[in-house]
């Protein structure tokens, strides 16, 4: 199965290049398990979800440690039938036998609760898209039930759900939404915006 993310990092600072370059070292521990391609719009990270989400988290936390308002925008996808299978994407988190929805929700909540704290306060909004299944709304409603018990749920918005909390729990929640909802071998995507140090009032 192919899984990956097109990400763009936006530090709201005069020295945005320095903030981005200074944060790139956070990807070093993941480079042997990711394929990374950068152009003038975004960076593609290809690899299994258990590597993708920690890599995005660590990059975002490193940039946000500057104290500047930072935003990470990401389009994340797995199982797209238009993408070739890639051995680097082999995952222990997705696929396998079908597990009942209620069991997946419980497992997702436990995984988020077990996540280490980063110390970086973060807000996020995202949308889950489950492709090509007749029961896609059951999966989406199941994910929403999980989100409401995740500890980082803030509220529903038009077209998306808003989260707020520590960056560790936020990225763990996104990981669980991506891996546990929708068919294991099916096409699932997330549209994600993550923000830290915003000057806007909470």
């Amino acid at each position: 199965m192919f899984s990956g993310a097109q990400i763009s990092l936006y530090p709201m600072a005069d020295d945005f290049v320095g903030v981005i370059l200074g944060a790139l070292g956070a990807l070093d521990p993941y480079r042997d398990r990711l394929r990374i391609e950068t152009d003038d719009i975004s960076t593609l990270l290809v690899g299994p979800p258990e590597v993708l989400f920690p890599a995005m988290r660590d990059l975002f936390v490193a940039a946000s440690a500057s104290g500047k308002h930072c935003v990470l925008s990401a389009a994340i996808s797995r199982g797209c039938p238009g993408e070739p299978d890639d051995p680097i994407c082999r995952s222990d988190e997705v696929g396998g036998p079908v597990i009942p929805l209620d069991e997946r929700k419980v497992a997702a909540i436990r995984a988020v609760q077990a996540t280490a704290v980063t110390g970086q306060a973060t807000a996020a909004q995202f949308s889950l898209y489950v492709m090509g299944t007749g029961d896609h709304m059951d999966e989406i409603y199941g994910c929403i039930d999980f989100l409401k018990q995740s500890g980082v749920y803030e509220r529903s918005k038009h077209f998306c759900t808003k989260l707020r909390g520590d960056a560790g729990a936020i990225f763990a929640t996104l990981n669980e939404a991506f891996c546990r909802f929708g068919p294991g071998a099916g096409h699932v995507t997330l549209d994600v915006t993550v923000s830290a140090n915003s000057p806007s009032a909470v």
Side-chain angles (χ1 to χ4, degrees):
M1 179 190 310
F2 188 93
S3 60
Q6 287 279 5
I7 67 169
S8 298
L9 182 64
Y10 303 106
M12 314 298 174
D14 291 340
D15 183 29
F16 65 93
V17 173
V19 174
I20 293 171
L21 293 178
L24 288 178
L27 293 178
D28 289 347
Y30 306 101
R31 290 185 186 275
D32 61 338
R33 294 208 54 208
L34 289 175
R35 178 160 49 90
I36 303 173
E37 301 172 10
T38 297
D39 62 23
D40 58 335
I41 295 178
S42 62
T43 294
L44 172 67
L45 305 178
V46 176
E50 60 266 28
V51 180
L52 283 174
F53 285 91
M56 288 188 287
R57 175 201 63 210
D58 291 354
L59 176 68
F60 179 75
V61 168
S64 300
S66 67
K68 306 297 184 184
H69 182 197
C70 288
V71 171
L72 179 110
S73 175
I76 309 165
S77 177
R78 66 172 168 89
C80 176
E83 297 284 358
D85 196 11
D86 191 323
I88 201 171
C89 298
R90 288 201 184 105
S91 172
D92 298 328
E93 292 195 4
V94 208
V98 177
I99 299 169
L101 186 57
D102 285 342
E103 290 182 29
R104 285 184 274 143
K105 288 190 279 189
V106 169
I109 292 164
R110 287 181 180 151
V112 173
Q113 290 172 341
T115 302
V117 173
T118 67
Q120 178 60 62
T122 302
Q125 64 183 29
F126 83 102
S127 302
L128 168 71
Y129 300 99
V130 178
M131 313 292 192
T133 62
D135 62 350
H136 69 282
M137 288 309 298
D138 291 340
E139 294 294 321
I140 290 170
Y141 287 134
C143 183
I144 291 169
D145 287 345
F146 149 63
L147 294 173
K148 289 180 176 178
Q149 301 174 70
S150 67
V152 294
Y153 175 84
E154 183 169 293
R155 63 187 174 97
S156 293
K157 298 175 64 175
H158 289 295
F159 323 123
C160 62
T161 300
K162 188 172 182 185
L163 310 175
R164 186 176 299 280
D166 184 80
I170 295 285
F171 280 92
T173 299
L174 295 172
N175 183 21
E176 295 303 311
F178 185 67
C179 293
R180 299 213 191 253
F181 300 93
H187 187 192
V188 174
T189 67
L190 297 183
D191 178 29
V192 175
T193 305
V194 186
S195 174
N197 308 321
S198 172
S200 300
V202 175

